Amino acid sequence: MKDDIVYLVLLGLCIGFGHFYRKFKDPEEKKLLGTCLGILVMVSVSGLHTVHMLFCYLVASLIIVYANRKTCHLVTFGFMFGYLFLFRSVTYLGFDAPPGHTNMIQMILTLKLVGLAFEVNAAYTKSLGDGAAKKDDDTKTIAEPLSENEKALLKLDLQNVFHYCFNYVGILTGPYFTYKTYRDALYLPFSSKADCIGATVEKLKVIPLYAGLFLLISYVWPLNYATSAEFYEERSFFYRLMYVWPTFFIFRMRIYTGILLSECVCTMAGFGAYPKLCGNKSGHGPSKDCSAMIGNPDEHEYDFETVRNIDVINTERCWTFREAMRYWNTCVQYWMAMYVYKRFPSKKYRTLATLAVSAIWHGVYAGYYFCICAAPFYLPIEDLYVKLFIKNATGTKLKVLNVICWISKFFAFSYMGIAFLLLTIEKIWFYYNSVYHFGYIFWIVLYGVGVLIAKDRKAKAKRAEKLAAAAATGAEVACQ
């Protein structure tokens, strides 16, 4: 709770500071001011552990600025994730573990520096004409001109990388935003024209609800009870199995509160503000060219979809596990999709590689791997039953099946999520043993039954086709 209080105070400070930060018109002043507060926040929660982040910045920025730009993104990726693993393993070497908030800062810094290296590599590749657009006759190529942001990426220096890494916006828990988004917030007029206060207030309205539910349910069903002797010796199998529901509910409320507060830091500072007509996407930013709108910024309606990291309503009310995943931690999902999934050389293993990187990014505990890497084994089961029963259902039947699917979705999240919360393999295995690995066994049986139903339907369809063909042939003979 002490860590949570420090976290809330710092986020409150950052949110309030955004109102004054937006009033500075000079980009250089904003850079300096934002970085100074960012360093203050980092040092206040990390103390001497700040040296980890400064060392990572120094090495990674030297790679990005001075190394071969054809490979700088790969070298930066290897260094940052290697150091992240080492950073979390210092306790095994006899050193004190870094504070929890320091870990979060290191996580976001890893995404920023690796993402920046990929942005630089993309700009460099484009400058060589590798991504040139071909003419209709396929005889010549026309190099697509570099944007101002791409030109800036090719002229990066250590100072600009430092400002991007340590600006107070997003330094604690994100959301992740690209160097382009950071630069646009400084140099484009959009942040001063968007309704930053209104967007922030809209998010702040619901935070007391999530925080209140977090505190209430934590008091009634605390997570640490799931590790107590009483829980395993005096509680029934059914009670132990159902305990995953309140624990995951607590986790969701905590995540909703934290992510929405971190989004408020962005919205109050004007980060991620773009005209709605730009077709803005979480993490990515505008999907359409906004250059024509810079000259008349007062004439447009704005949104903050670029820094929207979670869609709480759709996460809760969507029917399927697959849908819910799309609304959760979307800026990090964008990073994983752009820099791991789409770049991984093997299409066959790219999903597994992406999930493995996600688990490594979250931490070294076994619980992260149990939870995150279990998702791709559940998804085919859900997809199979959606295809068998829900896809063609209508009316009341569809509503009933959707509710069942919704219950199954949250049970799956909760059952996998308990591993994420218990962290160590001993605690995880002890809990799953106490419920006889019900979830995994149930899903295996469910998948087997689904496959049999699918095969039976396919066989019946083939028999029906043969009978129809035989009937048609008989009718033709009778007519002759």
Side-chain angles (χ1 to χ4, degrees), residues 66-78:
Y66 295 111
N68 188 333
R69 288 181 172 175
K70 286 185 177 180
T71 57
C72 69
H73 55 305
L74 300 177
V75 178
T76 305
F77 186 101

Side-chain angles (χ1 to χ4, degrees), residues 390-408:
I390 298 178
K391 187 178 179 180
N392 298 318
T394 57
T396 303
K397 181 181 178 181
L398 177 61
K399 292 178 182 177
V400 171
L401 290 173
N402 275 334
V403 169
I404 294 171
C405 192
W406 183 88
I407 294 170
S408 178

Side-chain angles (χ1 to χ4, degrees), residues 5 106 112 118 159 196 205 220 244 247 334 345 366 369 386 470:
I5 291 169
Q106 184 71 30
K112 280 185 174 181
F118 274 94
Q159 185 179 5
C196 298
K205 282 180 181 178
V220 180
V244 298
T247 56
Y334 164 79
Y369 299 88
V386 167

Side-chain angles (χ1 to χ4, degrees), residues 121-139:
N121 170 259
Y124 174 75
T125 302
K126 186 177 177 181
S127 72
L128 297 178
D130 290 2
K134 289 188 176 182
K135 283 186 173 181
D136 292 338
D137 58 8
D138 286 336
T139 58

Side-chain angles (χ1 to χ4, degrees), residues 256-268:
Y256 293 163
T257 302
I259 288 181
L260 288 175
L261 282 171
S262 63
E263 285 183 23
C264 287
V265 177
C266 296
T267 55
M268 187 60 90

Side-chain angles (χ1 to χ4, degrees), residues 134-174:
K134 289 188 176 182
K135 283 186 173 181
D136 292 338
D137 58 8
D138 286 336
T139 58
K140 297 180 181 178
T141 58
I142 304 173
E144 195 177 335
L146 294 174
S147 66
E148 289 301 315
N149 278 302
E150 288 165 335
K151 291 176 183 177
L153 285 166
L154 296 178
K155 296 177 182 177
L156 267 182
D157 56 28
L158 298 180
Q159 185 179 5
N160 281 320
V161 178
F162 187 82
H163 287 307
Y164 169 60
C165 289
F166 299 115
N167 188 284
Y168 82 96
V169 177
I171 194 170
L172 270 177
T173 51

